[in-house]
C-alpha cells in the first residue's frame, strides 16, 4: 500500500520482481520440463461484498474472502501422481510465504482451506482438458490463436463429415479465456444452418 496506494482497488496483480530475465528463464525451464526455481504468481481477490452473498462457492460469509493464484507450470503428464501430490502442498506453502513478503497478517491461522487446482487436478476433474490439464485446452501460442484456432479444419465450428455436430469452447477463436465469445460464434454458425434468430443483426458484433 505504501508503494501503490490504489492496491485496494486492484482485483488482479502479479507479485514478481525487477529482474528482466525472470520470465524468459522461467519459460525456458518449463519448456525443459523443469519446475521453475522461482515462482511469479498472479493473484486475484474475491470478497463477499463483490459477489452475490448467496453464491457460497465464491466467498462464504463466514470466511470473508477468497484468494486465487495462477502460475504457468508443467503439464500434468510431466510428473508422477506422487510428485504432483507433493507439489500441491509445496505450492500452498509457497503462496503463504509469498504473501508474507507483502503483508503483516497472513499465516496459516487465517486459512480456512485451500484447493490446489493444478494441471494434474484439472486433467482428472475435467477429462476434456487431459492429458495436459491446460485451462486453455491448447496453448495460447501465436500459431494457435485467432481465426484458425484450434486447427483450420475445426475452426469453423462445424465438424467435417458429421452434419449437425458442432464444437466450441476455450480452444476456439479467438483465444482461451473465461468468456462467452466461442459459444456466441458457434451459435452464429448453427443459426445459419437451422434458420434460427440472428441476434447479432443490427448490432456491431
Amino acid at each position: 500500500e505504501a508503494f501503490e496506494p490504489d492496491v485496494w482497488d486492484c482485483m488482479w496483480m502479479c507479485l514478481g520482481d525487477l529482474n528482466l530475465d525472470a520470465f524468459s528463464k522461467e519459460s525456458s525451464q518449463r519448456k525443459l520440463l523443469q519446475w521453475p526455481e522461482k515462482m511469479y504468481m498472479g493473484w486475484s481477490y474475491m470478497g463477499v461484498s463483490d459477489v452475490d452473498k448467496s453464491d457460497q462457492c465464491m466467498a462464504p460469509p463466514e470466511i470473508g474472502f477468497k484468494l486465487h493464484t495462477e502460475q504457468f507450470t508443467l503439464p500434468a503428464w510431466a510428473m508422477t501422481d506422487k510428485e504432483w501430490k507433493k507439489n500441491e502442498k509445496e505450492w500452498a506453502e509457497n503462496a503463504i510465504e509469498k504473501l508474507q513478503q507483502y503483508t503483516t497478517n497472513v499465516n496459516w491461522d487465517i486459512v480456512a482451506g485451500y484447493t490446489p487446482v493444478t494441471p494434474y487436478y484439472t486433467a482428472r476433474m475435467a477429462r476434456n482438458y487431459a492429458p495436459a490439464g491446460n485451462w486453455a485446452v491448447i496453448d495460447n501460442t501465436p500459431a494457435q490463436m485467432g481465426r484458425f484456432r484450434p486447427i483450420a479444419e475445426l475452426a469453423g465450428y462445424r465438424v467435417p463429415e458429421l452434419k449437425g455436430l458442432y464444437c466450441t469452447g476455450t480452444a476456439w477463436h479467438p483465444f482461451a479465456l473465461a468468456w462467452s465469445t466461442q459459444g456466441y460464434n458457434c451459435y452464429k454458425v448453427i443459426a445459419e444452418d437451422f434458420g434460427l434468430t440472428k441476434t447479432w443483426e443490427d448490432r456491431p458484433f
Side-chain angles (χ1 to χ4, degrees):
E1 185 178 22
F3 175 76
E4 177 49 74
D6 294 328
V7 68
W8 291 106
D9 296 322
C10 179
M11 292 289 289
W12 179 258
M13 68 177 70
C14 185
L15 305 179
D17 60 32
L18 299 179
N19 182 359
L20 297 180
D21 296 324
F23 292 106
S24 60
K25 183 176 182 180
E26 178 202 17
S27 177
S28 298
Q29 289 176 323
R30 283 188 288 106
K31 289 174 181 177
L32 293 170
L33 300 182
Q34 299 172 357
W35 191 261
E37 62 186 54
K38 192 168 184 178
M39 309 298 279
Y40 296 94
M41 302 178 189
W43 294 83
S44 63
Y45 161 82
M46 186 68 70
V48 293
S49 62
D50 304 312
V51 296
D52 180 355
K53 290 181 172 58
S54 65
D55 187 352
Q56 297 297 296
C57 71
M58 297 300 288
E62 66 273 15
I63 292 178
F65 67 91
K66 177 185 75 172
L67 286 174
H68 167 80
T69 67
E70 287 189 14
Q71 168 73 41
F72 287 114
T73 185
L74 303 181
W77 48 261
M79 296 196 298
T80 65
D81 293 3
K82 185 176 181 180
E83 288 172 329
W84 274 114
K85 299 310 290 183
K86 179 175 179 288
N87 168 271
E88 290 173 0
K89 183 179 180 185
E90 291 178 350
W91 175 266
E93 295 286 355
N94 289 339
I96 294 296
E97 290 175 7
K98 175 62 74 172
L99 279 180
Q100 288 175 338
Q101 296 176 20
Y102 295 86
T103 65
T104 59
N105 62 346
V106 173
N107 55 60
W108 281 107
D109 292 338
I110 69 167
V111 178
Y114 72 96
T115 301
V117 184
T118 63
Y120 174 84
Y121 172 97
T122 302
R124 282 154 182 76
M125 290 297 292
R127 303 296 288 186
N128 56 313
Y129 289 89
N134 185 345
W135 280 3
V137 180
I138 59 174
D139 289 335
N140 281 328
T141 63
Q144 295 178 163
M145 291 175 65
R147 67 181 64 188
F148 297 116
R149 181 178 171 89
I151 58 174
E153 291 80 2
L154 294 175
Y157 302 95
R158 298 180 180 91
V159 177
E161 309 301 328
L162 291 173
K163 187 176 180 180
L165 182 63
Y166 304 83
C167 51
T168 189
T170 193
W172 269 258
H173 174 75
F175 57 88
L177 198 62
W179 53 10
S180 59
T181 302
Q182 294 93 339
Y184 181 54
N185 291 341
C186 188
Y187 174 77
K188 286 185 174 183
V189 174
I190 296 172
E192 291 284 355
D193 290 353
F194 290 91
L196 304 177
T197 302
K198 298 180 179 180
T199 58
W200 62 90
E201 291 185 340
D202 300 322
R203 288 164 53 178
F205 53 88

